[in-house]
């Protein structure tokens, strides 16, 4: 699987969350379609089949991004010393 850029992943997660909230508050045909579209996009970007799997995969990816940044900071500190 190709790893999505962190910024793109966060944007897709935000879109999914907004669609989920709107659909839960006042479900309509429009909110249902928006949620379906956001879910599909999240599944594609994470290589998952369900929303639950996609959310777990997104969490794992975000953990990897965080760990990568922490590693870069240590590397920068070493170079500065």
């Amino acid at each position: 699987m190709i790893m999505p850029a962190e910024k793109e992943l966060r944007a897709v997660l935000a879109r999914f969350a907004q669609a989920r909230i709107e659909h839960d508050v006042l479900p309509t045909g429009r909110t249902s379609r928006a949620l379906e579209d956001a879910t599909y996009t999240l599944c594609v970007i994470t290589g998952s089949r369900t929303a639950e799997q996609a959310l777990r995969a997104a969490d794992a990816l975000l953990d990897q991004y965080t760990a990568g940044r922490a590693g870069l900071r240590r590397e920068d500190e070493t170079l500065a010393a």
Side-chain angles (χ1 to χ4, degrees):
M1 176 181 91
I2 297 173
M3 278 187 61
E6 182 178 6
K7 183 177 179 180
E8 183 66 25
L9 178 60
R10 288 185 183 279
V12 170
L13 282 168
R15 185 171 148 225
F16 173 81
Q18 185 64 39
R20 175 87 259 170
I21 290 167
E22 287 179 6
H23 186 69
D24 286 348
V25 170
L26 184 62
T28 65
R30 184 194 63 76
T31 62
S32 179
R33 286 186 300 277
L35 179 58
E36 186 177 317
D37 184 51
T39 301
Y40 174 80
T41 302
L42 182 59
C43 286
V44 168
I45 203 170
T46 60
S48 304
R49 291 186 162 275
T50 67
E52 292 78 19
Q53 290 172 348
L55 290 170
R56 282 193 298 271
D59 282 342
L61 285 169
L62 291 173
D63 287 344
Q64 287 179 19
Y65 295 135
T66 301
R69 277 195 304 274
L72 287 176
R73 281 190 209 114
R74 282 192 297 269
E75 194 175 293
D76 289 343
E77 289 171 3
T78 302
L79 291 175

